[in-house]
Amino acid sequence: MESSSKTTEGQAAGDRRPIAARNLGASAALADWLIRRRASPNGISAAGMVSGLMAGLALAGTWWWPDAARALFLAAAVFIQLRLLANLMDGMVAIGRGVASPVGELWNEVPDRVSDTATLLGLGIAAGSPAWGLAAALAAMATAYIRATGKSAGAPSDFRGPMAKQQRMALVTLVAILCVFVPRGWHPELALWALVAITALAALTALRRLHGTAHALRTRA
């Protein structure tokens, strides 16, 4: 989710994850629709977390119920995109309504960590390797931890990649869609290679963010 999702527009302007979809007319129309209905940004965040959990369960289900694997991979891809849509909408609705929550930072971070962990662990089960799912989840958590720690220390939020949240979820979505069409025997291998890539590139992302944050804090001092 955007780090500004529970702040006012003035506070949010310089500290938001750069997302091209935010500028699309369809995104603005959906946000306006939610704003008119006084949707709760925290409620949207919660819906995104539920979608992340469902994506993880669908991915894990491909290993438990292989006969339904294709339908479950498709469901996982849809749930991942619903999670990302919620991540986009919570910030746009919060800014559009001009609302701020005293627990906004918790809703800002915790649902994303739950969603990432559930999705990547689910992909690990789909790959037949929960250990790689855990490794990918820990690497993803490290990228978010460094960003949040840097922000609390006074540095700008660092959303750089190469394996930030959007890239991680894009790769998992791509693998899920591929698995709808390729032979069933390929499913574990595709899932495993995705996890290896996420783990390695998220670790690189964490190091890049750590270096960038340290530089920003030294410059600020």
Side-chain angles (χ1 to χ4, degrees), residues 4-121:
S4 59
S5 66
K6 308 300 179 294
T7 61
T8 63
E9 186 169 4
Q11 293 170 311
D15 196 28
R16 302 178 74 193
R17 185 185 300 275
I19 303 175
R22 188 181 289 122
N23 300 317
L24 295 177
S27 300
L30 178 57
D32 287 343
W33 185 84
L34 291 168
I35 290 165
R36 289 197 303 271
R37 282 150 184 81
R38 303 182 63 81
S40 164
N42 291 348
I44 296 171
S45 298
M49 181 171 64
V50 171
S51 294
L53 289 167
M54 293 301 295
L57 285 172
L59 289 168
T62 65
W63 182 268
W64 298 330
W65 303 291
D67 289 342
R70 297 183 194 280
L72 288 168
F73 274 119
L74 181 59
V78 171
F79 280 123
I80 290 169
Q81 293 308 304
L82 288 175
R83 174 223 169 167
L84 294 178
L85 180 62
N87 289 171
L88 176 66
M89 286 297 114
D90 66 352
M92 294 179 72
V93 169
I95 291 170
R97 291 189 58 195
V99 297
S101 167
V103 294
E105 283 301 314
L106 295 179
W107 281 103
N108 210 31
E109 297 294 335
V110 174
D112 257 356
R113 306 292 73 76
V114 172
S115 295
D116 269 351
T117 301
T119 300
L120 294 173
L121 284 178

